[in-house]
Amino acid sequence: MKVMTKISLAIVPAMMLVLGGCSSGDVKETPASGSATADSRSIVPPPPAEMAPAGTESAQPDPMAERNKMDDPGSLLSQRMVYFDFDSSVIKDEAIPVVRAHAEHLSANNSKVFTLEGHCDERGTREYNIALGERRADAVRRMLVANGVAERQIKIVSYGEERPAQLGHNETAWAANRRAVFAY
Amino acid sequence: MRKTILLTCLLPVLLASAVPVYAASLTLKITQWVEDAYPIAVVPFGYEGVKRPSQDIAEIITNDLLRSGKFNPLPVTDMLNRPSNEADIEFKNWRILGSESLVIGKVQHTGGDNYKVMFWLFDVFKTKQLDAQSFNTTGTALRATAHKIADLVYEKLLGQPGAFSTLISYVTANGTGEKKEYILWKADSDGENPQEILKSNYAIMSPSWSPDGESIAYASLEEAGAQKVFIQKWRKGQRSIVSTVKPGLNGAPSWSPDGKFLAFTIIKDGNSDIYRLDLNSKQLKQLSNHYAIDTEPVWTPDGQWIVFTSDRSGRPQLYKTTVNGESVKRLTFEGTENARAAISPDGKSIAMVHKRDGQDKIALMDMDGGNLIVLTDGHFDESPSFAPNGSMIIYATSEGQQGTLATVSTDGRFRQSLAYQGDVREPAWSPLNVK
């Protein structure tokens, strides 16, 4: 595609505007990539009495073992996505084991905090999809809390339709985009 | 007979820069023609002086009038002569060509970067002068002067204010994933003179102009998906975050007609409701109270009602409530979904995103719910915004994989697309009298 040379008078005023005073003192608009709020390597030994409901792990998980489990493609914990039907925030049966695995992990490591992201496919208006994305993340949150995770461990955000996992105007792409993401 | 016409905007004098940046201005492309529009001839302006103006004033005026859908300008190549003085006009030359109105003018270079621009408007059949004005202007303000003349011509002939000296705001997105760059822009109503207002790696959406035209409210995902609403004075860049005692994601801001309130959405714990914030006292009032998703509030021009989107009946539809959150009433019953309302400046019509047969188009409906007509024919049309004189609606559509903007006249007869190099969305038209 042909690109056109930038119009001169946009440059100086544009710089002034972008760097205008924010009340927080923050002048840069390009934050670090990613939305993780916790370093997954900073594992703190959990209190000894805390047992996960369907516990398969010992009362005091070994940090190395925890790290391996999170990244092991064979473990449920390495699955970070929960998928949804169109216009729905109902957690499907096949997603429940994944949610419960994360619940066990988080309740056994109850100083760990993380972010749940809600996402939508491109259909529907942008603001509606922010709300629907939040609803999806919140549905996962409620299931986690019901399974022993503390509210304070979970941050909820929504990207609506703005960060699709897959581009395309078809059901395959749409299905891949209707998701909640465990962002550690 | 319908024709399609391809027009590219005049670009101001380009810097001889070796570093191309993705295009900043929007290119006009006329996609439909209106048969019975008002025939007018805008003669290329005469010129006096040493330094030639960098803008073709008559061409800017012509494009403005054409874009409104209400005028049918005579092609310059059809003109038998090109007077720039009243004494040189032979009205029969214009009657022969079918023009009912005639605009002539001249530009005088008065020294340095200063120009004097004069125009005269005539009724061809009555051979009578309808308007004449002169402007002292500068090289960089020549486009603004041309838009001002187009407004005067529009108003004199149609009895309504022109919207050519107004501004638009829109968002562009370039790149993918976390490196994606979003920019909120402000530009002339024809897409020229774009100016960056905000740049971010997170999505910016729902720009909303304040009634005095000095501020733009918008929603941004810049706290890593924790949506916030900001109000930014676009000229100088100072901005403030809209924060309330009530936690949650904040989005979809909309100014009240008197500029004293902001309606917006608060989302928390799986629920989304609309609220009204007093910008002075910071008092927050909840307007909807329902487990459904309620969002996208917009005010009626009389300041009495708020129209919003709700899926309380299963799928998104439009509802209205009083500014105190009383008497919720459903407005839309046709199509699968209706969302993202925009209210006409006279308060009589609502534009919306209307889903039918799996496609999203812009539709217009009476305020009380009758006479829904579909104005556009895209597949994913969204975010309609009225020109402040009610004559046109700007909206986001797509061509191939790219988002583009388009305008459609509110009678649906004339549509024009504004193509951008890249993905553009979320247009918002400024109020009148904004510079």
Side-chain angles (χ1 to χ4, degrees), chain A residues 83-84 119-123 136 161 163-179, chain B residues 380 401:
Chain A
Y83 294 97
F84 296 87
H119 296 263
C120 299
D121 70 39
E122 64 183 345
R123 296 171 294 173
R136 286 173 174 155
E161 63 182 83
R163 287 221 173 147
Q166 202 173 320
L167 297 174
H169 304 305
N170 52 63
E171 182 51 43
T172 312
W174 294 337
N177 295 328
R178 295 190 298 264
R179 68 204 192 279
Chain B
F380 296 107
Q401 292 296 324

Side-chain angles (χ1 to χ4, degrees), chain A residues 2 43 115 125 174 181:
Chain A
K2 188 167 167 231
I43 292 176
T115 299
T125 58
W174 294 337
V181 179

Side-chain angles (χ1 to χ4, degrees), chain B residues 17 23 51 54 62 86 91-92 115 129 138 140 152 162 167 180 205 209 215 229 237 260 267 281 287 308 320 371:
Chain B
S17 166
K51 189 174 163 193
S54 58
T62 300
E86 183 176 1
F91 286 99
K92 69 168 171 26
Y115 297 87
Q129 181 182 298
T138 62
T140 48
L152 289 167
L167 302 173
K180 199 163 182 174
M205 63 189 79
W209 291 82
S215 301
V229 169
K260 294 182 180 163
I267 307 168
S281 72
L287 300 181
F308 64 102
K320 74 173 185 182
N371 297 322

